[in-house]
mmCIF file of all heavy atoms in Angstrom:
data_model
loop_
_atom_site.group_PDB
_atom_site.id
_atom_site.type_symbol
_atom_site.label_atom_id
_atom_site.label_comp_id
_atom_site.label_asym_id
_atom_site.label_seq_id
_atom_site.Cartn_x
_atom_site.Cartn_y
_atom_site.Cartn_z
ATOM 1 N N GLY A 55 130.839 104.009 112.579
ATOM 2 C CA GLY A 55 129.649 104.772 112.947
ATOM 3 C C GLY A 55 128.504 103.940 113.493
ATOM 4 O O GLY A 55 128.708 102.854 114.050
ATOM 5 N N GLY A 56 127.300 104.459 113.270
ATOM 6 C CA GLY A 56 126.102 103.901 113.884
ATOM 7 C C GLY A 56 125.852 102.429 113.586
ATOM 8 O O GLY A 56 125.371 101.695 114.449
ATOM 9 N N ALA A 57 126.211 101.996 112.380
ATOM 10 C CA ALA A 57 125.922 100.608 112.020
ATOM 11 C C ALA A 57 126.736 99.636 112.888
ATOM 12 O O ALA A 57 126.212 98.618 113.348
ATOM 13 C CB ALA A 57 126.205 100.379 110.544
ATOM 14 N N ARG A 59 128.089 100.382 115.860
ATOM 15 C CA ARG A 59 127.573 100.584 117.222
ATOM 16 C C ARG A 59 126.294 99.767 117.439
ATOM 17 O O ARG A 59 126.195 98.994 118.387
ATOM 18 C CB ARG A 59 127.290 102.086 117.397
ATOM 19 C CG ARG A 59 126.713 102.494 118.735
ATOM 20 C CD ARG A 59 126.116 103.891 118.627
ATOM 21 N NE ARG A 59 124.942 103.881 117.749
ATOM 22 C CZ ARG A 59 124.614 104.868 116.927
ATOM 23 N NH1 ARG A 59 125.341 105.965 116.857
ATOM 24 N NH2 ARG A 59 123.537 104.771 116.172
ATOM 25 N N ASP A 60 125.355 99.905 116.511
ATOM 26 C CA ASP A 60 124.075 99.223 116.687
ATOM 27 C C ASP A 60 124.222 97.708 116.577
ATOM 28 O O ASP A 60 123.551 96.962 117.280
ATOM 29 C CB ASP A 60 123.054 99.739 115.671
ATOM 30 C CG ASP A 60 122.699 101.200 115.932
ATOM 31 O OD1 ASP A 60 123.060 101.710 117.007
ATOM 32 O OD2 ASP A 60 122.067 101.821 115.064
ATOM 33 N N ARG A 74 115.563 98.718 112.963
ATOM 34 C CA ARG A 74 115.536 99.561 111.784
ATOM 35 C C ARG A 74 115.298 98.725 110.563
ATOM 36 O O ARG A 74 115.898 97.687 110.388
ATOM 37 C CB ARG A 74 116.877 100.230 111.612
ATOM 38 C CG ARG A 74 117.187 101.122 112.758
ATOM 39 C CD ARG A 74 118.311 101.960 112.308
ATOM 40 N NE ARG A 74 118.740 102.781 113.419
ATOM 41 C CZ ARG A 74 119.654 103.697 113.287
ATOM 42 N NH1 ARG A 74 120.210 103.883 112.109
ATOM 43 N NH2 ARG A 74 120.004 104.420 114.309
ATOM 44 N N ASP A 78 121.563 102.290 107.241
ATOM 45 C CA ASP A 78 122.386 103.460 106.952
ATOM 46 C C ASP A 78 123.807 103.057 107.336
ATOM 47 O O ASP A 78 124.120 102.895 108.508
ATOM 48 C CB ASP A 78 121.817 104.618 107.784
ATOM 49 C CG ASP A 78 122.821 105.692 108.126
ATOM 50 O OD1 ASP A 78 123.733 105.943 107.328
ATOM 51 O OD2 ASP A 78 122.673 106.300 109.208
ATOM 52 N N ASP A 80 128.112 103.271 106.931
ATOM 53 C CA ASP A 80 129.233 104.147 106.598
ATOM 54 C C ASP A 80 130.495 103.322 106.463
ATOM 55 O O ASP A 80 130.811 102.532 107.362
ATOM 56 C CB ASP A 80 129.455 105.161 107.726
ATOM 57 C CG ASP A 80 128.383 106.209 107.733
ATOM 58 O OD1 ASP A 80 128.455 107.128 106.914
ATOM 59 O OD2 ASP A 80 127.446 106.092 108.557
ATOM 60 N N ARG A 137 139.068 111.389 115.309
ATOM 61 C CA ARG A 137 138.493 112.693 114.921
ATOM 62 C C ARG A 137 136.966 112.706 115.012
ATOM 63 O O ARG A 137 136.328 113.674 114.643
ATOM 64 C CB ARG A 137 138.910 113.040 113.493
ATOM 65 C CG ARG A 137 140.390 113.309 113.434
ATOM 66 C CD ARG A 137 140.854 113.672 112.066
ATOM 67 N NE ARG A 137 142.312 113.826 112.074
ATOM 68 C CZ ARG A 137 143.063 113.921 111.001
ATOM 69 N NH1 ARG A 137 142.505 113.902 109.807
ATOM 70 N NH2 ARG A 137 144.358 114.049 111.101
ATOM 71 N N ARG A 138 136.383 111.631 115.470
ATOM 72 C CA ARG A 138 134.919 111.528 115.506
ATOM 73 C C ARG A 138 134.331 112.095 116.794
ATOM 74 O O ARG A 138 135.049 112.670 117.593
ATOM 75 C CB ARG A 138 134.527 110.068 115.272
ATOM 76 C CG ARG A 138 134.833 109.675 113.857
ATOM 77 C CD ARG A 138 134.640 108.224 113.541
ATOM 78 N NE ARG A 138 135.022 108.067 112.160
ATOM 79 C CZ ARG A 138 134.168 108.125 111.125
ATOM 80 N NH1 ARG A 138 132.891 108.268 111.334
ATOM 81 N NH2 ARG A 138 134.608 108.021 109.891
ATOM 82 N N ASP A 139 133.014 111.905 116.961
ATOM 83 C CA ASP A 139 132.352 112.588 118.082
ATOM 84 C C ASP A 139 132.410 111.842 119.413
ATOM 85 O O ASP A 139 132.956 112.334 120.395
ATOM 86 C CB ASP A 139 130.918 112.997 117.709
ATOM 87 C CG ASP A 139 130.064 111.854 117.159
ATOM 88 O OD1 ASP A 139 130.536 110.701 117.115
ATOM 89 O OD2 ASP A 139 128.905 112.125 116.770
ATOM 90 N N ASN A 143 130.737 105.802 118.791
ATOM 91 C CA ASN A 143 130.640 105.986 117.339
ATOM 92 C C ASN A 143 132.005 105.863 116.671
ATOM 93 O O ASN A 143 132.136 106.107 115.482
ATOM 94 C CB ASN A 143 130.066 107.373 117.017
ATOM 95 C CG ASN A 143 128.623 107.504 117.436
ATOM 96 O OD1 ASN A 143 127.928 106.499 117.565
ATOM 97 N ND2 ASN A 143 128.171 108.729 117.657
ATOM 98 N N ALA A 144 133.008 105.529 117.447
ATOM 99 C CA ALA A 144 134.379 105.506 116.916
ATOM 100 C C ALA A 144 134.955 104.088 116.956
ATOM 101 O O ALA A 144 136.086 103.874 117.368
ATOM 102 C CB ALA A 144 135.243 106.481 117.690
ATOM 103 N N ASP A 180 132.924 120.467 115.492
ATOM 104 C CA ASP A 180 131.610 120.433 114.860
ATOM 105 C C ASP A 180 130.580 120.487 115.983
ATOM 106 O O ASP A 180 130.183 119.468 116.534
ATOM 107 C CB ASP A 180 131.439 119.149 114.032
ATOM 108 C CG ASP A 180 130.043 119.063 113.426
ATOM 109 O OD1 ASP A 180 129.250 120.025 113.599
ATOM 110 O OD2 ASP A 180 129.731 118.036 112.802
ATOM 111 N N LEU A 182 127.588 120.676 116.220
ATOM 112 C CA LEU A 182 126.341 119.894 116.151
ATOM 113 C C LEU A 182 126.464 118.662 117.049
ATOM 114 O O LEU A 182 125.477 118.133 117.557
ATOM 115 C CB LEU A 182 126.028 119.444 114.724
ATOM 116 C CG LEU A 182 124.655 118.760 114.601
ATOM 117 C CD1 LEU A 182 123.535 119.781 114.715
ATOM 118 C CD2 LEU A 182 124.507 117.954 113.324
ATOM 119 N N ARG A 183 127.693 118.210 117.229
ATOM 120 C CA ARG A 183 127.941 117.049 118.093
ATOM 121 C C ARG A 183 127.394 117.275 119.499
ATOM 122 O O ARG A 183 127.022 116.326 120.181
ATOM 123 C CB ARG A 183 129.447 116.770 118.130
ATOM 124 C CG ARG A 183 129.960 116.268 116.794
ATOM 125 C CD ARG A 183 131.465 116.235 116.738
ATOM 126 N NE ARG A 183 131.918 115.514 115.548
ATOM 127 C CZ ARG A 183 133.172 115.460 115.136
ATOM 128 N NH1 ARG A 183 134.120 116.075 115.817
ATOM 129 N NH2 ARG A 183 133.491 114.775 114.058
ATOM 130 N N ARG A 186 123.975 116.128 119.153
ATOM 131 C CA ARG A 186 123.923 114.701 118.836
ATOM 132 C C ARG A 186 124.012 113.857 120.109
ATOM 133 O O ARG A 186 123.431 112.770 120.188
ATOM 134 C CB ARG A 186 125.063 114.326 117.879
ATOM 135 C CG ARG A 186 124.765 114.624 116.426
ATOM 136 C CD ARG A 186 126.004 114.451 115.550
ATOM 137 N NE ARG A 186 126.616 113.131 115.591
ATOM 138 C CZ ARG A 186 126.271 112.093 114.807
ATOM 139 N NH1 ARG A 186 125.318 112.256 113.919
ATOM 140 N NH2 ARG A 186 126.882 110.938 114.904
ATOM 141 N N ARG A 189 120.492 113.560 121.378
ATOM 142 C CA ARG A 189 119.656 112.798 120.447
ATOM 143 C C ARG A 189 120.013 111.318 120.484
ATOM 144 O O ARG A 189 119.137 110.463 120.564
ATOM 145 C CB ARG A 189 119.831 113.369 119.042
ATOM 146 C CG ARG A 189 118.843 112.831 118.042
ATOM 147 C CD ARG A 189 119.423 111.757 117.166
ATOM 148 N NE ARG A 189 120.399 112.296 116.229
ATOM 149 C CZ ARG A 189 121.029 111.564 115.338
ATOM 150 N NH1 ARG A 189 120.808 110.270 115.273
ATOM 151 N NH2 ARG A 189 121.910 112.119 114.544
ATOM 152 N N GLN A 190 121.307 111.029 120.474
ATOM 153 C CA GLN A 190 121.678 109.610 120.464
ATOM 154 C C GLN A 190 121.437 108.971 121.831
ATOM 155 O O GLN A 190 121.043 107.812 121.905
ATOM 156 C CB GLN A 190 123.121 109.450 119.993
ATOM 157 C CG GLN A 190 123.247 109.880 118.523
ATOM 158 C CD GLN A 190 124.507 109.372 117.843
ATOM 159 O OE1 GLN A 190 125.551 109.255 118.456
ATOM 160 N NE2 GLN A 190 124.402 109.079 116.558
ATOM 161 N N GLN A 193 117.853 108.109 121.655
ATOM 162 C CA GLN A 193 117.544 106.980 120.769
ATOM 163 C C GLN A 193 118.044 105.660 121.314
ATOM 164 O O GLN A 193 117.433 104.620 121.102
ATOM 165 C CB GLN A 193 118.164 107.226 119.390
ATOM 166 C CG GLN A 193 117.388 108.238 118.582
ATOM 167 C CD GLN A 193 117.992 108.452 117.195
ATOM 168 O OE1 GLN A 193 119.192 108.289 117.008
ATOM 169 N NE2 GLN A 193 117.165 108.811 116.236
ATOM 170 N N ARG A 220 120.858 121.679 110.022
ATOM 171 C CA ARG A 220 121.363 120.506 110.760
ATOM 172 C C ARG A 220 120.794 120.490 112.176
ATOM 173 O O ARG A 220 120.463 119.431 112.705
ATOM 174 C CB ARG A 220 122.892 120.533 110.808
ATOM 175 C CG ARG A 220 123.564 120.488 109.450
ATOM 176 C CD ARG A 220 125.068 120.598 109.590
ATOM 177 N NE ARG A 220 125.693 119.370 110.087
ATOM 178 C CZ ARG A 220 126.833 119.341 110.793
ATOM 179 N NH1 ARG A 220 127.454 120.471 111.095
ATOM 180 N NH2 ARG A 220 127.325 118.194 111.192
HETATM 181 N N1 CTP B 16 128.706 115.542 113.509
HETATM 182 C C1 CTP B 16 129.151 114.294 113.348
HETATM 183 C C2 CTP B 16 128.406 113.372 112.594
HETATM 184 C C3 CTP B 16 128.915 112.092 112.448
HETATM 185 N N2 CTP B 16 130.093 111.741 112.995
HETATM 186 C C4 CTP B 16 130.649 110.404 112.799
HETATM 187 O O1 CTP B 16 130.085 109.816 111.643
HETATM 188 C C5 CTP B 16 129.369 108.638 111.980
HETATM 189 C C6 CTP B 16 128.131 108.480 111.111
HETATM 190 O O2 CTP B 16 127.297 109.607 111.239
HETATM 191 P P1 CTP B 16 125.719 109.527 111.239
HETATM 192 O O3 CTP B 16 125.247 108.498 110.301
HETATM 193 O O4 CTP B 16 125.248 110.927 111.136
HETATM 194 O O5 CTP B 16 125.381 109.111 112.735
HETATM 195 P P2 CTP B 16 125.358 107.693 113.388
HETATM 196 O O6 CTP B 16 126.226 107.728 114.604
HETATM 197 O O7 CTP B 16 125.602 106.640 112.388
HETATM 198 O O8 CTP B 16 123.901 107.639 113.940
HETATM 199 P P3 CTP B 16 122.546 107.317 113.194
HETATM 200 O O9 CTP B 16 122.869 107.073 111.748
HETATM 201 O O10 CTP B 16 122.067 106.165 113.952
HETATM 202 O O11 CTP B 16 121.741 108.544 113.394
HETATM 203 C C7 CTP B 16 129.089 108.789 113.458
HETATM 204 O O12 CTP B 16 128.872 107.558 114.095
HETATM 205 C C8 CTP B 16 130.347 109.449 113.934
HETATM 206 O O13 CTP B 16 131.415 108.534 114.008
HETATM 207 C C9 CTP B 16 130.810 112.664 113.740
HETATM 208 O O14 CTP B 16 131.871 112.350 114.247
HETATM 209 N N3 CTP B 16 130.329 113.928 113.899
#
Side-chain angles (χ1 to χ4, degrees):
R59 178 196 67 216
D60 294 348
R74 297 194 185 185
D78 154 32
D80 287 281
R137 292 181 184 168
R138 291 173 182 267
D139 53 4
N143 292 337
D180 177 4
L182 186 73
R183 291 169 169 171
R186 278 171 58 87
R189 190 259 290 181
Q190 294 198 326
Q193 284 181 331
R220 299 177 74 208

